[in-house]
Amino acid sequence: EENKLVYTDLFQKYSDLIEGTLETKLKEAIPGFSMESFTEELAKRGQEEVDDAVFDLLVSLGDFDSFKQTMLDAKASTTSLEVAGQSAKIYKDEDDEGEERPDLEDLLKVAPVSPKA
């Protein structure tokens, strides 16, 4: 299926917004954070060493087909979407001690905006 040029433009704006927001929040939470170093580390470690939920989320944020389907679904339902999340501790080490850690899907939600009462 041929994609409209406007979809590509919207996806680029969406990607820039998501990446900028993630980078800002991570810089606030981690002194000295560098997105370039972070992406290099992800590439170096690969999918086997990164939590599956985190990896899937990061991949989906940069996937045009996922973006397009979300936008088409939103258009069909004539509702707006919102992204909501809650803060969580950022872990830099392995989970060797059996410490309980929250699942990413419990912290980040993408859902239709409900009408305000």
Side-chain angles (χ1 to χ4, degrees), residues 23 33-42:
E23 185 170 10
F33 175 81
S34 163
M35 183 61 83
E36 184 177 332
S37 297
F38 177 68
T39 54
E40 287 173 7
E41 188 65 27
L42 283 177

Side-chain angles (χ1 to χ4, degrees), residues 17-109:
L17 177 65
I18 293 293
E19 184 176 326
T21 300
L22 285 173
E23 185 170 10
T24 299
K25 296 295 183 183
L26 287 169
K27 281 183 177 181
E28 289 172 3
I30 305 170
F33 175 81
S34 163
M35 183 61 83
E36 184 177 332
S37 297
F38 177 68
T39 54
E40 287 173 7
E41 188 65 27
L42 283 177
K44 184 171 73 175
R45 289 183 179 215
Q47 186 174 358
E48 322 59 63
E49 290 189 39
V50 179
D51 181 77
D52 288 338
V54 172
F55 191 84
D56 290 345
L57 174 66
L58 293 173
V59 168
S60 73
L61 292 174
D63 181 58
F64 177 79
D65 290 329
S66 295
F67 166 78
K68 180 181 171 186
Q69 190 59 52
T70 301
M71 294 302 108
L72 291 174
D73 291 346
K75 182 179 178 183
S77 68
T78 64
T79 61
S80 299
L81 292 177
E82 73 176 344
V83 177
Q86 58 186 357
S87 63
K89 181 178 176 183
I90 296 175
Y91 295 92
K92 295 181 181 180
D93 60 343
E94 296 292 326
D95 186 14
D96 292 335
E97 290 81 39
E99 182 178 356
E100 186 172 333
R101 298 182 180 185
D103 289 331
L104 184 62
E105 60 263 13
D106 294 336
L107 300 173
L108 184 65
K109 305 287 184 207

